[in-house]
């Protein structure tokens, strides 16, 4: 499965809440308020056969950028093509179940 890297306007990104995505949380407002380009991870997108882009990971970043800058703001994206809906859901599940918050002592060491 090949990956592409592109800057995509947030207004062109869709989110499949019915199949696998979580609804936006209140933290989107905080991310938008405290926006820092250096902290924004690339959004992982699926480019479907019809040419539309669907968020697999990074929806909070997308929503915060939309809120702060509007639909024409471009974010760095990693794009996977021609995935089935089941493959998209599997990637979403694996990416989000593997996330782990740093421990307190790790945060102290980093600061």
């Amino acid at each position: 499965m090949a990956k592409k890297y592109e800057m995509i306007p947030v207004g062109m990104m869709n989110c499949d809440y019915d199949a696998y995505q979580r609804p936006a949380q209140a933290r989107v407002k905080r991310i938008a308020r405290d926006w820092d380009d250096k902290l924004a991870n690339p959004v992982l997108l699926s480019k479907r056969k019809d040419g539309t882009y669907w968020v697999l990971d990074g929806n909070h970043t997308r929503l915060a950028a939309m809120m702060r800058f509007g639909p024409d703001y471009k974010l760095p994206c990693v794009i996977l093509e021609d995935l089935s809906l089941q493959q998209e859901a599997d990637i979403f599940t694996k990416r989000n179940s593997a996330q782990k918050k740093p421990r307190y002592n790790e945060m102290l060491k980093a600061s």
Side-chain angles (χ1 to χ4, degrees):
M1 176 182 327
K3 294 180 184 179
K4 291 183 180 179
Y5 302 89
E6 292 182 42
M7 298 292 287
I8 304 290
V10 293
M12 290 180 63
M13 299 177 199
N14 300 289
C15 194
D16 201 334
Y17 294 111
D18 293 332
Y20 53 84
Q21 273 285 2
R22 300 169 291 195
Q25 300 169 3
R27 73 180 219 181
V28 170
K29 289 182 183 178
R30 181 180 43 82
I31 295 168
R33 182 192 68 221
D34 301 334
W35 186 268
D36 184 342
D37 279 327
K38 296 181 295 300
L39 300 177
N41 289 323
V43 177
L44 181 61
L45 297 175
S46 172
K47 184 175 182 182
R48 293 185 180 169
K49 290 181 182 7
D50 64 1
T52 58
Y53 295 101
W54 294 82
V55 177
L56 303 178
D57 193 37
N59 194 43
H60 288 97
T61 300
R62 173 189 76 96
L63 291 170
M66 178 86 83
M67 183 182 292
R68 182 163 177 126
F69 304 109
D72 295 329
Y73 187 77
K74 292 181 179 180
L75 286 173
C77 298
V78 177
I79 302 165
L80 305 174
E81 294 187 357
D82 299 327
L83 299 174
S84 69
L85 189 57
Q86 183 60 53
Q87 288 173 310
E88 290 179 1
D90 289 344
I91 290 169
F92 171 83
T93 301
K94 288 175 183 171
R95 293 280 299 235
N96 287 284
S97 63
Q99 292 179 359
K100 180 181 165 189
K101 279 188 125 177
R103 287 179 267 165
Y104 180 72
N105 63 331
E106 294 169 330
M107 294 292 285
L108 285 176
K109 184 177 180 181
S111 60

